[in-house]
Amino acid sequence: MGDQMQVIVEKLNQEPFRKNYNLISFDSLEPLQLLQLLSDVLGEIDPKHAVDIREELPEQTAKRMLNLLGILKYKPPGTVSDLSAFRQGLVTGSKAVIHPVLHWLLQRTNELRTRAYLARFLVKLEVPAEFLQDDTVADFNKQYEELMEAFKNLHKEHEQLKISGLSTAEIRRDISAMEEEKDQLAKRVERLKKRVETVQNHQRMLEIARQLRLEKEREESLAQQKQEQKSQLFHTEQRLQRAQVQLKEMQHMVADSKPESLMKKLEEEINFNSYLVNEKIPREMESKKTSVYFLQKLVAEPAMTQADLSALESEIEEVTAQMNQLIEKRIITYEPTDSKFSMYRQQASIISRKKEAKAEELQAAKEEMSSLEKQVEQKNSQAHGLGGSEVLTEDEFKQYVSRLRSKNTLYKRRRQEVAEITAEYGILQRTEELLRQRHQATQQQLQAIEEKKGISGYSYTQEELERVSAVKSEMDEVKGQTLDNMSEMVKKLNAMVAEKKASLAPVIKELRQLRQTCQELAQECEEKKMQYDSCAAGLETNRSALEQEVKGLLEECAQEESNYRYINCMKRSLEVQLQRAKEEMKAYVSPEPQERRRALREQYTRIILEQENLGKKLREKQKVVRESHGPNMKQMKMWQDFEKLMECKRECFLKQQNQAAIGQIIQEGGKDRLVL
């Protein structure tokens, strides 16, 4: 524990805290000061937590610290059952809880600062599954996850660049070394200029060297242009192949399709769209409107209590019982003629449900196809953005894989060669170091012998003379070879330029032929497109005429069907009324008393008599109440006065008892004084 406190004090006395604590002053901190110190350390890790804890509630402080410690992956000491004690100690500012936390935080501040920074962007927001059913919310959630992954990759690249990059001190050393090298090169250029000035026609030679350099640069640019043109030609050939494949597919589709099949497809599509517009979508709209109406009505109503809910449940049970009774009556009084149509009604309902299911499946398939097309377009755009031209076909991908494998084998072979050369270089370097050590030992022995003989420095002077003479001879040879090299370089340059021109000529000729072929194919494609557009326009006009005709027929059919249903309903209602009238007449005319009781007239007469008797009883009761109202009110007033009188007597009795008790206490006090 002492070592832990010593580490905490040392860290707090350093930057950026500068607390100037010692072990005694740190150990004597109050719980509130300890909590503030912990909040300051957390604020150094995450600036959002630089808060004065006196301005927030203790629960908020504990919650904020626990959230950040959870993000920083701090594991409290002890088992899972000790977590409640840890939270309680954090709220109360216990030293046994806060000291280990401070020790853990101060030992890895930089690492935790990075983790807190990343947590602001990488702590995922959990969206409930029922909200993800919405397409918009799902798209935003997917985009949020993609951005999170992109941030992870960018942060990794940033950290790798920070690790692999050079420090400022190394960059400064490199700059100073480059400046020194620049000065040395400038001096060397000056010396070479002075040496060249003595040569005849040196200006012409310099001009030829400058032209040589320009031609080399031009050669490099031409090679780059050639590579770009090759890549453009390759991409153009790929586009041409794809266009040819698409053209063949379109020709095949046009050749196989007949006007009858096209008309049949259009009729099917028209029927499907008309079904959606006239039947499915209106039903869905009506159901949505009713649901919205009920929801608005529900929102407008006040909050329901448990009593309201129980009343509604009882009402629902009553209505359900009534519905069951009506269904039983309908089954009992169901006519045989209607039973013939029940089978057809069931078949019609089954067919309509199947039709709706198939329409929903077709619509879902169309939506899925459109989403897949959008995904394909997005992938193509991503490929364009990454520098690619188009998505590769299967054969092109196989060729690319084969080229990649060949390059991989070549890379491995080159890498093995580099490893062998590196090993050989290490051996040679070690050999050079051993030889240098031997040379130094030999030089020391030679210097010792020269000192003994009295001729110290003789070997060094002789080496310098030999080196100067060697340098002079090399410079003479260089002067003699400069003109020959320049002339040979000019000849080689001219030969290379001629060779490049000769090699580029067939490529340019082939490119011209390919451009002409591409123009011809583009013209042919435009002609085919015009033919297709004209044919599509004709079919579109026919389709619009058919749509108008179908629409008129559907409206007429709907009108007739509504008239038929209205007449049928009126007929059924009249039949029901007629049946009720027949039953009423039969019951009223029947000689049996039970049948007469079932008649509505008898029932209504009986109900009227019952209500009249009930009204007579209520009037008699009202009369009795009016007669006894005055005496009852008088008796109630007398009883209230009696209650007031008894209450007043009770208060007087209590006051009299209190006064008697006080007088007795005073008498006892006087007796005590007399005794004293």
Side-chain angles (χ1 to χ4, degrees):
M1 193 67 182
D3 296 337
Q4 189 180 53
M5 288 179 62
Q6 188 173 1
V7 172
I8 294 170
V9 170
E10 289 177 358
K11 294 289 184 180
L12 290 175
N13 292 335
Q14 296 174 2
E15 291 288 341
F17 302 105
R18 292 184 180 180
K19 294 295 183 180
N20 295 325
Y21 286 145
N22 53 29
L23 293 175
I24 298 172
S25 60
F26 177 73
D27 190 49
S28 62
L29 290 176
E30 297 294 330
L32 187 63
Q33 294 175 345
L34 270 177
L35 282 174
Q36 184 63 52
L37 183 61
L38 179 59
S39 180
D40 294 339
V41 174
L42 293 175
E44 183 63 30
I45 293 171
D46 190 356
K48 291 192 298 183
H49 292 265
V51 180
D52 190 355
I53 62 173
R54 292 174 295 181
E55 297 177 357
E56 60 181 0
L57 298 174
E59 292 81 6
Q60 295 178 354
T61 304
K63 185 178 180 182
R64 175 172 59 81
M65 291 180 180
L66 285 171
N67 287 333
L68 184 56
L69 290 174
I71 292 171
L72 299 178
K73 297 181 180 179
Y74 174 72
K75 295 181 180 179
T79 59
V80 180
S81 60
D82 298 334
L83 290 177
S84 59
F86 175 77
R87 295 191 186 96
Q88 187 66 27
L90 191 62
V91 172
T92 58
S94 175
K95 295 180 181 180
V97 173
I98 294 179
H99 285 179
V101 176
L102 286 174
H103 183 263
W104 186 79
L105 292 174
L106 293 171
Q107 280 187 332
R108 45 182 69 83
T109 306
N110 295 326
E111 178 187 352
L112 297 177
R113 191 182 290 116
T114 306
R115 187 176 295 173
Y117 167 74
L118 294 175
R120 288 188 293 172
F121 307 101
L122 299 182
V123 174
K124 188 176 179 182
L125 297 175
E126 295 297 335
V127 182
E130 57 268 17
F131 293 135
L132 290 176
Q133 300 298 326
D134 190 359
D135 295 336
T136 306
V137 177
D139 293 338
F140 277 119
N141 189 31
K142 186 178 180 182
Q143 187 178 2
Y144 168 68
E145 291 176 354
E146 291 175 354
L147 290 173
M148 190 179 290
E149 292 296 329
F151 176 76
K152 288 181 183 178
N153 296 329
L154 288 173
H155 182 71
K156 288 179 182 177
E157 292 178 1
H158 175 66
E159 292 296 329
Q160 290 176 359
L161 289 173
K162 284 173 66 177
I163 294 170
S164 62
L166 297 174
S167 62
T168 55
E170 293 178 354
I171 292 170
R172 286 174 182 172
R173 285 197 296 270
D174 292 339
I175 291 171
S176 60
M178 290 169 70
E179 288 178 352
E180 292 177 358
E181 188 176 357
K182 180 181 176 183
D183 295 336
Q184 292 177 2
L185 289 173
K187 292 177 182 178
R188 188 174 179 184
V189 168
E190 290 294 330
R191 287 197 299 269
L192 289 174
K193 282 184 179 179
K194 290 179 182 179
R195 291 175 183 174
V196 171
E197 285 176 357
T198 58
V199 181
Q200 295 179 356
N201 299 325
H202 66 278
Q203 292 292 339
R204 187 169 178 276
M205 291 179 183
L206 291 174
E207 186 66 28
I208 291 169
R210 190 178 297 108
Q211 290 178 1
L212 176 63
R213 181 173 54 79
L214 293 173
E215 291 297 331
K216 284 185 177 180
E217 292 177 355
R218 186 180 175 189
E219 180 184 1
E220 291 177 357
S221 64
L222 287 172
Q224 189 176 2
Q225 290 177 5
K226 181 181 177 182
Q227 188 67 27
E228 290 177 356
Q229 288 178 358
K230 281 184 178 179
S231 63
Q232 290 177 1
L233 179 62
F234 177 70
H235 295 319
T236 307
E237 288 177 353
Q238 286 184 345
R239 293 195 192 97
L240 180 61
Q241 289 176 2
R242 283 191 290 273
Q244 288 176 354
V245 171
Q246 291 178 0
L247 182 61
K248 287 180 181 179
E249 290 178 356
M250 292 176 68
Q251 288 176 354
H252 183 68
M253 289 173 63
V254 172
D256 291 342
S257 61
K258 295 180 181 179
E260 292 82 4
S261 62
L262 291 174
M263 290 295 292
K264 189 174 181 181
K265 289 180 181 178
L266 289 172
E267 287 177 357
E268 291 176 356
E269 189 173 357
I270 288 166
N271 292 328
F272 175 70
N273 292 329
S274 61
Y275 168 73
L276 289 177
V277 172
N278 297 325
E279 297 182 14
K280 189 173 185 298
I281 294 175
R283 282 200 300 270
E284 291 180 354
M285 287 178 66
E286 289 296 328
S287 64
K288 296 291 183 184
K289 285 180 181 178
T290 53
S291 62
V292 168
Y293 170 72
F294 285 121
L295 289 173
Q296 288 177 353
K297 188 176 179 182
L298 183 62
V299 170
E301 290 180 355
M304 299 181 70
T305 60
Q306 188 65 32
D308 297 333
L309 290 174
S310 60
L312 284 174
E313 288 177 356
S314 61
E315 186 177 356
I316 289 167
E317 290 176 356
E318 292 177 359
V319 172
T320 306
Q322 292 177 4
M323 286 174 62
N324 294 329
Q325 292 177 2
L326 292 172
I327 290 167
E328 290 176 357
K329 289 181 180 179
R330 185 174 179 275
I331 291 170
I332 293 169
T333 61
Y334 199 81
E335 295 182 358
T337 55
D338 292 337
S339 63
K340 295 179 181 179
F341 297 102
S342 62
M343 180 175 65
Y344 299 106
R345 289 196 190 96
Q346 291 176 0
Q347 291 179 358
S349 63
I350 291 168
I351 290 168
S352 64
R353 285 197 294 271
K354 287 183 178 179
K355 190 176 180 182
E356 290 178 358
K358 294 297 180 184
E360 290 177 356
E361 289 178 2
L362 181 59
Q363 192 171 2
K366 285 185 177 180
E367 291 176 356
E368 186 177 1
M369 186 175 70
S370 63
S371 65
L372 290 174
E373 288 177 354
K374 288 180 181 178
Q375 289 180 5
V376 170
E377 291 177 359
Q378 289 177 0
K379 296 297 182 182
N380 288 330
S381 62
Q382 289 177 3
H384 282 297
L386 292 173
S389 59
E390 295 289 341
V391 179
L392 298 176
T393 60
E394 186 176 359
D395 296 333
E396 293 172 354
F397 185 72
K398 288 180 180 178
Q399 293 176 2
Y400 173 73
V401 171
S402 62
R403 288 200 300 271
L404 190 63
R405 286 176 179 172
S406 62
K407 288 182 180 179
N408 191 13
T409 54
L410 181 62
Y411 166 73
K412 289 180 179 178
R413 189 168 62 251
R414 299 297 187 198
R415 188 175 179 183
Q416 187 176 2
E417 291 177 359
V418 169
E420 292 175 356
I421 292 169
T422 306
E424 188 176 357
Y425 172 73
I427 294 169
L428 292 174
Q429 193 173 9
R430 178 60 179 167
T431 306
E432 182 185 2
E433 186 178 355
L434 293 173
L435 291 174
R436 188 179 291 110
Q437 291 176 359
R438 290 181 182 178
H439 177 69
Q440 289 177 359
T442 307
Q443 286 293 112
Q444 291 176 359
Q445 291 177 1
L446 183 60
Q447 288 177 3
I449 293 169
E450 287 177 354
E451 287 177 357
K452 288 181 181 180
K453 300 293 183 180
I455 53 173
S456 61
Y458 174 76
S459 60
Y460 177 74
T461 305
Q462 189 176 3
E463 287 179 359
E464 282 292 322
L465 290 173
E466 289 177 357
R467 189 175 63 80
V468 170
S469 61
V471 169
K472 185 175 180 300
S473 63
E474 288 177 359
M475 292 301 296
D476 293 335
E477 290 178 359
V478 168
K479 288 179 181 178
Q481 291 178 0
T482 303
L483 293 174
D484 296 335
N485 292 332
M486 286 186 178
S487 60
E488 288 178 0
M489 289 174 69
V490 170
K491 289 179 182 178
K492 288 181 180 179
L493 180 62
N494 292 328
M496 289 173 68
V497 169
E499 184 180 355
K500 295 296 181 182
K501 286 181 179 179
S503 61
L504 286 172
V507 176
I508 294 170
K509 186 176 180 181
E510 186 179 357
L511 182 61
R512 288 174 183 171
Q513 293 177 358
L514 289 171
R515 284 178 180 172
Q516 187 177 1
T517 307
C518 183
Q519 290 176 359
E520 292 175 357
L521 290 171
Q523 186 176 2
E524 185 178 357
C525 182
E526 289 293 331
E527 292 175 357
K528 297 293 184 183
K529 188 176 180 182
M530 290 173 64
Q531 293 177 5
Y532 172 75
D533 291 338
S534 62
C535 181
L539 293 173
E540 185 67 24
T541 53
N542 294 330
R543 186 176 71 84
S544 61
L546 288 171
E547 283 181 354
Q548 294 294 330
E549 185 177 358
V550 169
K551 189 175 181 182
L553 292 173
L554 286 173
E555 290 177 356
E556 185 178 356
C557 181
Q559 185 67 28
E560 295 295 334
E561 188 176 357
S562 64
N563 292 332
Y564 166 73
R565 289 178 179 174
Y566 175 72
I567 293 168
N568 196 8
C569 290
M570 292 296 293
K571 179 184 175 184
R572 288 182 181 178
S573 64
L574 291 172
E575 287 176 355
V576 170
Q577 291 177 5
L578 182 61
Q579 183 68 24
R580 285 182 180 177
K582 287 180 181 179
E583 291 177 355
E584 183 67 21
M585 287 297 294
K586 184 178 178 181
Y588 184 71
V589 176
S590 177
E592 296 180 0
Q594 293 182 356
E595 292 292 334
R596 286 184 180 180
R597 289 179 182 176
R598 291 181 182 177
L600 293 174
R601 183 174 179 179
E602 294 292 335
Q603 292 178 6
Y604 287 146
T605 305
R606 188 170 61 254
I607 292 169
I608 289 168
L609 290 173
E610 290 177 357
Q611 293 297 323
E612 286 179 355
N613 294 326
L614 181 62
K616 187 183 290 185
K617 290 179 181 179
L618 290 173
R619 282 194 295 273
E620 291 176 357
K621 190 175 181 180
Q622 184 181 9
K623 185 178 178 181
V624 172
V625 169
R626 283 179 180 176
E627 290 176 354
S628 62
H629 178 69
N632 290 335
M633 291 297 293
K634 187 177 179 181
Q635 188 177 2
M636 186 176 70
K637 188 173 183 305
M638 291 172 66
W639 181 255
Q640 289 177 353
D641 294 338
F642 178 71
E643 285 182 350
K644 289 181 181 179
L645 181 61
M646 295 302 292
E647 183 68 25
C648 183
K649 285 183 177 182
R650 188 178 69 84
E651 290 178 358
C652 292
F653 179 73
L654 292 174
K655 286 181 181 179
Q656 188 177 1
Q657 282 185 350
N658 290 331
Q659 288 177 0
I662 291 168
Q664 186 177 1
I665 291 168
I666 292 169
Q667 290 176 2
E668 290 177 356
K671 289 178 180 179
D672 293 337
R673 289 194 190 97
L674 291 173
V675 171
L676 290 172

